[in-house]
Amino acid sequence: SHLASGRGPSAGAAQRAPPRLRAAMLRALPRLCAAGGNARARVALIHAMQPSIASSLPAFARLWPEAELLHLMDDSLARDVARTGLDASMDRRFMALAKYARDAADCSGILFTCSAFGSSIEGVQRELRTGAFPVLKPNEAMMEEVAALGRPGAEGRAPPLAVFSIFAPTLESIPRELQELGGGRLDVQPHFVPGALDALNAGDEEGCIQIIASAAESVASAAHRAGEDLACVAFAMFSMARARGATEQRLRAALGDRAPPVLTSPDSAVVRLRELLSL
């Protein structure tokens, strides 16, 4: 990829590209040329919780180490949304953060990392997202993978999809978004994990991990005993990615080769964003 490797597209290559890709390449040329041909993607990560910063770093380190990261955080958002909901004021705050990333910080794209703000992020996408400037919701890429795993089989039955969150407001929008992706035919089972976020905020990361892993094991084992193995376990929040390894270990120990895959938002989002910013 040109942006990931630091090589910008030439005007000739842009003219030879298909129309939609050609337009995106031509829009990117001024920025790349101004940087002397050595530009690399600067990505804005917009956070509403402090743990999301640490949760996003391993995925970038593994999957896109060349990216330059810019972190913007307003941790009052997570407190305020419980009081106000996703109102017009919340929409304006998200738009202001996004425009700062695009216009003042000269970022190449935006990845939001808190999944409880669906409609506010969608407003940013409608106004700012273009072929040359991607704006991703935190779970957007992962949910497409989840929906694909949950499609009904030949018998017309949809396998259960277990979606976990440690922040209750997150679960208000995710089932709706998944059903939109799956044409209303998915068996989405949302699960709130009490106590995990409190442990994380108190500095007990290991306690948070074990609470999440135990909850996932309990749900997956119950589904197996009922004869309905889960198609996947999906963690709806960036800050839950830290529990993936422990959860996979518990599921393998309990279910062996019947253990469902564990999907996390950061890995899926980083792969998708890199694809979108690779001309």
Side-chain angles (χ1 to χ4, degrees):
S1 70
H2 291 292
L3 289 177
S5 64
R7 293 179 285 111
S10 68
Q15 294 297 338
R16 292 191 297 271
R20 291 184 64 183
L21 179 57
R22 179 169 67 244
M25 294 173 74
L26 290 173
R27 284 193 296 269
L29 275 172
R31 179 179 297 173
L32 294 169
C33 293
N38 293 317
R40 60 177 180 169
R42 170 182 278 191
V43 176
L45 282 78
I46 298 180
H47 311 282
M49 290 184 175
Q50 293 188 13
S52 297
I53 297 178
S55 300
S56 64
L57 296 178
F60 276 97
R62 286 196 319 274
L63 301 169
W64 195 9
E66 303 90 350
E68 179 184 354
L69 305 182
L70 181 146
H71 296 278
L72 297 175
M73 184 182 67
D74 179 352
D75 59 0
S76 68
L77 289 166
R79 296 192 299 272
D80 292 346
V81 72
R83 176 174 54 84
T84 68
L86 296 177
D87 60 3
S89 173
M90 194 69 65
D91 294 345
R92 288 192 297 270
R93 292 167 69 181
F94 270 80
M95 188 65 70
L97 289 166
K99 287 186 175 180
Y100 172 84
R102 185 192 66 174
D103 301 333
D106 197 31
C107 291
S108 307
I110 295 173
L111 172 59
F112 288 96
T113 67
C114 191
S115 48
F117 302 89
S119 62
S120 294
I121 298 173
E122 288 164 5
V124 174
Q125 289 180 316
R126 285 191 295 271
E127 183 165 335
L128 301 188
R129 182 167 63 177
T130 68
F133 189 80
V135 177
L136 287 189
K137 297 166 71 174
N139 292 319
E140 187 172 338
M142 183 191 74
M143 287 199 295
E144 291 181 9
E145 298 177 25
V146 172
L149 289 171
R151 291 195 180 99
E155 299 177 355
R157 291 186 59 189
L161 303 166
V163 181
F164 295 83
S165 178
I166 61 176
F167 186 53
T170 297
L171 294 174
E172 295 176 9
S173 63
I174 286 179
R176 169 184 61 81
E177 295 172 15
L178 275 171
Q179 291 295 2
E180 289 174 358
L181 289 170
R185 304 174 64 202
L186 303 180
D187 180 6
V188 182
Q189 300 180 0
H191 300 275
F192 173 61
V193 186
L197 184 57
D198 291 336
L200 187 59
N201 287 336
D204 184 7
E205 181 173 355
E206 184 59 29
C208 171
I209 288 171
Q210 294 306 322
I211 291 171
I212 294 170
S214 176
E217 178 192 359
S218 176
V219 170
S221 295
H224 178 70
R225 290 193 297 272
E228 293 189 341
D229 286 326
L230 300 178
C232 70
V233 164
F235 290 158
M237 295 179 63
F238 263 57
S239 52
M240 299 176 71
R242 66 192 74 228
R244 180 177 187 169
T247 302
E248 289 174 335
Q249 290 178 358
R250 282 194 179 225
L251 292 176
R252 284 196 298 269
L255 301 174
D257 60 4
R258 306 293 293 182
V262 179
L263 303 184
T264 65
S265 300
D267 283 4
S268 301
V270 170
V271 170
R272 173 64 57 80
L273 196 58
R274 180 169 187 169
E275 291 172 351
L276 292 172
L277 286 172
S278 298
L279 297 178

